[in-house]
Amino acid sequence: MRRARLTALTAVTTAAALAAVTGCTEKSKAGDDAVKVTASDKKCEVSKKEFPAGHVELAVENKGSKVTEVYILFPDDRIVTERENIGPGTKQNLTAEVKAGAYRIACVPGMKGKGIRQDVRATGGGKVAERDPRLDKAVAEYRAYTQAQADETMPKVKVFTDAVRKGDLAAAKKAYAPSRIGWERTEPVAESFGDIDPKVDVRADGLEEGQDLAKDWTGWHRLERALWKDKKIGQREKDLATRLDKDLTDWQKRVGKAEITPSSMANGAKELLDEVATGKVTGEEERYSHTDLVDFKANVEGAEKAYALLRPVAAENDPALAKELDKQFAALDKLLDTHRAGPDSYTFTSYEKVGKADRKELHDGVNALAEPLSKLAAAVVKKSK
């Protein structure tokens, strides 16, 4: 879920995760033509309001006291690319691919609300530079993958929502985690639309200011609370199940039309690792069902799929990076296997039973992968710059 909120209960754990994940690119150097973005608690300053279309690099520095996130947005608020969880006093570089036209760069201090925005423009003939045909193939295959994930998710969602509508608590609990796997694998693409994620995957503490918990909270996590905390299914929950069907059908219809580029695939893979670090490892995402490891596994699989499609070009441009990514993906997959609770590939130990030492080991594994993964976008576009 995008824009995770921090609570007092997890502030210490999450702060540690952010320090490691967001600090991993602090020493990286941006190119001379990079757009410098200086974020603070009240400002979002950019060094250039115009830049050539094609591959654009943002050199982000957070000089504020709050964790922030930075977006490149289309004028209608669709997301071109993003980098979340940029800790105070840290720097990160973000590579994106843009066509000529109007955009906005947004800094979101505290990762809440619409943020502070700057209008910018990419100039040129309307097309990005010619790129390696292997990258076009990777984009096409990734688009097919995201559509397949959505198509395969809908029957699983119906099993879940049918159980809710029947008032079958046990069946709904059993179907809950499987219904989320395809979404978690492709979450950055789903979030790029801007309006779907808040309907289906928001947590109670993720509502915007002015929204009403009783009226405006919808989606999986609202139903999760009813099933595990309230332990009852009323008419409101049955109506929300039908709404979830409708909202996810919208996702299924739109996902194949998402704006996808090689750099957005690479950045999306990093975003999935950030999701793990700030939501799954802390236990915040599935706070009632404790099915965090199912989401964890799906996020890692989604990141690994994007990397696998981009790997031929990345390995040619930066062999050492590809070798390190191969190593760290394998290590994290192996570590997750130690927490399986059955022969099924998605049967994991309830996260409430995962102790502090094991959580730290998982956290360290995510961080070890996040650091090289943050360099994937730059490696993919290296030769075409």
Side-chain angles (χ1 to χ4, degrees):
M1 185 205 78
R2 185 160 58 91
R3 298 183 185 180
R5 273 53 168 184
L6 310 184
T7 67
L9 290 175
T10 59
V12 175
T13 304
T14 304
L18 289 175
V21 174
T22 64
C24 63
T25 57
E26 186 172 354
K27 296 181 180 180
S28 60
K29 293 183 179 180
D32 293 337
D33 57 349
V35 178
K36 296 179 176 60
V37 180
T38 304
S40 66
D41 296 345
K42 295 183 179 180
K43 294 182 179 180
C44 183
E45 299 175 331
V46 298
S47 63
K48 301 176 184 178
K49 293 294 184 72
E50 289 191 355
F51 43 80
H55 295 118
V56 59
E57 183 179 18
L58 301 188
V60 182
E61 182 175 7
N62 182 5
K63 291 187 175 181
S65 63
K66 301 175 182 178
V67 175
T68 195
E69 53 193 1
V70 172
Y71 294 82
I72 299 179
L73 301 169
F74 290 104
D76 61 2
D77 271 10
R78 285 177 299 128
I79 298 170
V80 178
T81 195
E82 63 181 303
R83 181 58 52 86
E84 301 180 354
N85 305 313
I86 304 171
T90 65
K91 299 178 181 179
Q92 289 208 29
N93 298 334
L94 178 60
T95 301
E97 187 174 336
V98 297
K99 297 178 181 179
Y103 298 90
R104 292 188 179 106
I105 292 176
C107 306
V108 188
M111 301 197 300
K112 189 171 185 177
K114 293 185 177 294
I116 306 158
R117 301 180 174 206
Q118 294 281 3
D119 290 331
V120 296
R121 177 170 291 277
T123 60
K127 295 182 180 180
V128 297
E130 185 177 348
R131 65 190 179 203
D132 190 318
R134 292 174 296 176
L135 294 179
D136 289 326
K137 182 174 183 289
V139 168
E141 291 185 8
Y142 187 68
R143 188 180 300 281
Y145 170 75
T146 59
Q147 186 65 63
Q149 290 302 307
D151 293 344
E152 292 168 12
T153 292
M154 295 311 299
K156 296 176 182 178
V157 170
K158 192 171 187 305
V159 171
F160 171 60
T161 55
D162 280 350
V164 173
R165 282 185 287 267
K166 291 176 183 177
D168 190 333
L169 195 69
K173 284 184 174 181
K174 183 178 180 181
Y176 171 76
S179 76
R180 290 176 50 75
I181 292 171
W183 171 274
E184 292 290 339
R185 284 174 176 161
T186 60
E187 200 164 1
V189 175
E191 289 174 349
S192 70
F193 297 110
D195 60 337
I196 298 178
D197 179 82
K199 296 176 183 177
V200 305
D201 199 32
V202 72
R203 303 195 301 257
D205 51 341
L207 294 177
E208 299 293 346
E209 186 175 350
Q211 287 187 303
D212 183 87
L213 193 65
K215 295 179 180 179
D216 299 319
W217 189 19
T218 60
W220 271 301
H221 294 303
R222 168 61 179 82
L223 292 169
E224 178 202 6
R225 189 189 73 171
L227 298 175
W228 274 273
K229 184 180 181 182
D230 303 335
K231 299 181 181 179
K232 62 181 181 181
I233 298 173
Q235 187 57 48
R236 172 63 174 164
E237 287 71 37
K238 294 177 182 180
D239 291 343
L240 287 173
T242 298
R243 164 114 185 230
L244 183 62
D245 285 336
K246 180 181 177 182
D247 289 336
L248 288 173
T249 297
D250 182 30
W251 163 59
Q252 180 189 23
K253 290 178 179 178
R254 293 165 66 184
V255 71
K257 302 174 184 178
E259 293 278 347
I260 299 175
T261 65
S263 56
S264 75
M265 288 171 60
N267 289 326
K270 174 61 167 60
E271 289 164 30
L272 285 169
L273 264 290
D274 288 349
E275 287 278 342
V276 174
T278 59
K280 282 69 174 183
V281 169
T282 63
E284 277 289 277
E285 182 79 3
E286 306 290 356
R287 61 188 65 173
Y288 307 113
S289 65
H290 305 297
T291 56
D292 302 89
L293 287 174
V294 177
D295 291 357
F296 190 136
K297 176 64 174 175
N299 283 159
V300 173
E301 284 182 337
E304 196 163 8
K305 178 65 175 181
Y307 166 60
L309 293 173
L310 297 170
R311 190 187 185 285
V313 173
E316 184 177 296
N317 291 347
D318 193 337
L321 177 64
K323 183 178 180 180
E324 182 65 15
L325 284 169
D326 292 344
K327 173 185 173 182
Q328 295 302 338
F329 268 118
L332 190 55
D333 287 337
K334 184 177 180 180
L335 181 57
L336 274 168
D337 284 343
T338 66
H339 295 281
R340 294 195 186 281
D344 183 85
S345 60
Y346 273 89
T347 301
F348 286 97
T349 302
S350 178
Y351 204 60
E352 63 186 327
K353 297 179 181 179
V354 178
K356 289 183 179 180
D358 287 333
R359 290 191 184 200
K360 183 180 185 304
E361 189 177 20
L362 287 165
H363 161 258
D364 291 345
V366 170
N367 290 337
L369 174 57
E371 193 280 328
L373 197 57
S374 69
K375 302 174 183 176
L376 179 60
V380 166
V381 304
K382 185 176 180 181
K383 285 192 174 181
S384 55
K385 278 185 126 181

